[in-house]
Amino acid sequence: LSHSHTFRNFKVLLILSCLPAKLINGGVAGIVGVTCVFPIDLVKTRLQNQRQGQQVYKSMIDCLIKTVRSEGYFGMYRGAAVNLTLVTPEKAIKLAANDFFRCHLSKDGRGLTVFREMLAGCAAGMCQVIVTTPMEMLKIQLQDAGRLATQQRKPCIIPPNRLATTNTVLSRSYNVVPNTSPHPSATQIARELLHTQGIQGLYKGLGATLLRDVPFSVIYFPLFANLNKLGKPSPDEAAPFYWSFISGCVAGSTAAVAVNPCDVVKTRLQSLSKGANEETYSGIIDCFGKIMKREGPSAFLKGACCRALVIAPLFGIVQVMYFIGVGEFIMSQSSLKLISD
């Protein structure tokens, strides 16, 4: 027992010593990945938020074309600053937490069972929502603003009873009533939410975020570990980088599509401003029920293709960064500089 306890403590210390490098790897991978795939993530949000009979966009390509035409090239990156700022701590928390819990659930250095791998992934998913929820909350407002503006330009009749249900938060910036004020920044949205609703305003949709991210991590981490294991020449050797990339892409896209219904619900709940005739929701169950009743089961797959296209390269890049060891290289250079000084 003493030997087992000592070995586990040694592994924890080893993980903590590697943490700065993991933070760098996760951060660099997140920034590169977000920059590459953010326009598709914007399309996903807009497709998930539009209702039947009020479609502004017909498909992913149609949405990209209309966004560029109406908002310019940089319109596709509306909300990217929030992601680029918070993706580093988000990915770092997820990956470091998974390593930490895998260490605690392993026995004497032996491999984990699939169930224990799922437990580690579950715990990692629960940790990351501390950053993910406010990041997604702010990002969605910025991403969806263009869709609302486009919808306002289309001729439609807004029933009087719908005007009363308009969310007052951010109403000065954009709402169902056309106005000429510019789109707000993430800082303005955050300040107004904190002023009107307190810290809970930034954590609206926390339950739905947990419902999405915990199952995602439960699926992704064990699936990646087992797929990556298939590419190892021997148990003691690492898989080639291309195999790690493919494993990350396959595991990421599979997990993304599997939890897409929860992502649709989260997007709807976190959207503060509504278009004409768009219903509001009181919670997760109410949202599920109304979407099922009014739009059918297919509505839960809205944006699934976009989400797979976003997540697959994002997690593939993460695994390549780990394989290359960008963080380890930077930390070693920093150590050498300190020694030379």
Side-chain angles (χ1 to χ4, degrees):
L1 183 64
S2 176
H3 172 72
S4 175
H5 184 69
T6 303
F7 181 77
R8 185 168 297 176
N9 284 341
F10 173 75
K11 285 186 70 179
V12 170
L13 289 172
L14 187 62
I15 288 173
L16 290 174
S17 67
C18 295
L19 187 58
K22 288 183 180 292
L23 294 176
I24 294 170
N25 285 332
V28 171
I31 290 169
V32 172
V34 166
T35 304
C36 293
V37 302
F38 192 83
I40 303 175
D41 187 62
L42 179 138
V43 170
K44 181 219 68 160
T45 298
R46 294 187 177 184
L47 290 177
Q48 287 181 341
N49 258 335
Q50 65 180 6
R51 276 60 161 180
Q52 280 186 346
Q54 302 177 48
Q55 282 95 339
V56 177
Y57 312 107
K58 297 175 184 177
S59 64
M60 178 178 71
I61 302 299
D62 182 56
C63 183
L64 285 170
I65 292 171
K66 286 180 178 177
T67 300
V68 173
R69 283 178 180 172
S70 60
E71 303 168 55
Y73 174 78
F74 290 105
M76 294 191 298
Y77 283 89
R78 181 167 288 142
V82 177
N83 258 36
L84 291 171
T85 302
L86 297 177
V87 73
T88 299
E90 186 213 21
K91 288 287 176 286
I93 289 171
K94 179 198 281 277
L95 297 169
N98 182 65
D99 284 348
F100 180 79
F101 289 114
R102 284 176 69 90
C103 170
H104 273 276
L105 290 169
S106 64
K107 294 181 178 179
D108 298 327
R110 287 180 291 176
L112 293 174
T113 62
V114 173
F115 178 71
R116 286 176 178 265
E117 285 181 342
M118 292 172 73
L119 279 180
C122 175
M126 292 180 72
C127 291
Q128 79 169 85
V129 297
I130 297 169
V131 177
T132 304
T133 305
M135 178 181 77
E136 293 272 318
M137 183 70 185
L138 297 174
K139 182 192 74 173
I140 285 172
Q141 314 317 314
L142 297 169
Q143 287 183 328
D144 203 39
R147 180 189 69 88
L148 293 172
T150 302
Q151 192 182 74
Q152 289 166 14
R153 289 192 291 268
K154 295 178 72 177
C156 62
I157 298 173
I158 305 176
N161 64 317
R162 294 301 301 171
L163 290 173
T165 61
T166 298
N167 195 303
T168 57
V169 178
L170 310 181
S171 60
R172 292 192 296 274
S173 304
Y174 53 90
N175 219 312
V176 296
V177 180
N179 60 57
T180 57
S181 61
H183 293 301
S185 67
T187 306
Q188 289 173 323
I189 296 173
R191 283 176 181 170
E192 192 160 353
L193 282 170
L194 289 170
H195 177 70
T196 57
Q197 299 180 22
I199 190 67
Q200 65 265 31
L202 287 174
Y203 280 88
K204 184 179 180 181
L206 175 62
T209 306
L210 279 167
L211 202 61
R212 181 197 68 172
D213 288 351
V214 171
F216 178 92
S217 296
V218 166
I219 296 168
Y220 172 78
F221 284 112
L223 183 57
F224 169 76
N226 285 282
L227 286 174
N228 202 45
K229 198 181 294 180
L230 296 175
K232 291 183 176 181
S234 68
D236 298 326
E237 293 183 73
F241 86 93
Y242 69 86
W243 190 267
S244 294
F245 178 79
I246 293 170
S247 299
C249 288
V250 172
S253 58
T254 302
V257 173
V259 302
N260 197 73
C262 301
D263 190 54
V264 172
V265 171
K266 183 197 73 65
T267 299
R268 296 282 182 93
L269 287 174
Q270 289 188 319
S271 297
L272 297 176
S273 295
K274 306 293 182 182
N277 301 319
E278 290 182 357
E279 68 280 354
T280 56
Y281 310 102
S282 60
I284 296 173
I285 296 174
D286 180 57
C287 187
F288 263 111
K290 285 181 178 177
I291 292 174
M292 178 65 76
K293 182 180 178 181
R294 299 177 187 181
E295 302 174 59
S298 61
F300 291 110
L301 292 177
K302 284 184 177 180
C305 179
C306 295
R307 185 161 162 75
L309 289 174
V310 168
I311 297 297
L314 190 60
F315 279 85
I317 291 168
V318 167
Q319 298 306 331
V320 170
M321 289 297 169
Y322 269 82
F323 180 88
I324 296 172
V326 174
E328 287 79 3
F329 175 76
I330 293 173
M331 292 303 297
S332 66
Q333 293 296 111
S334 299
S335 299
L336 287 173
K337 187 177 180 182
L338 285 172
I339 293 169
S340 63
D341 290 344

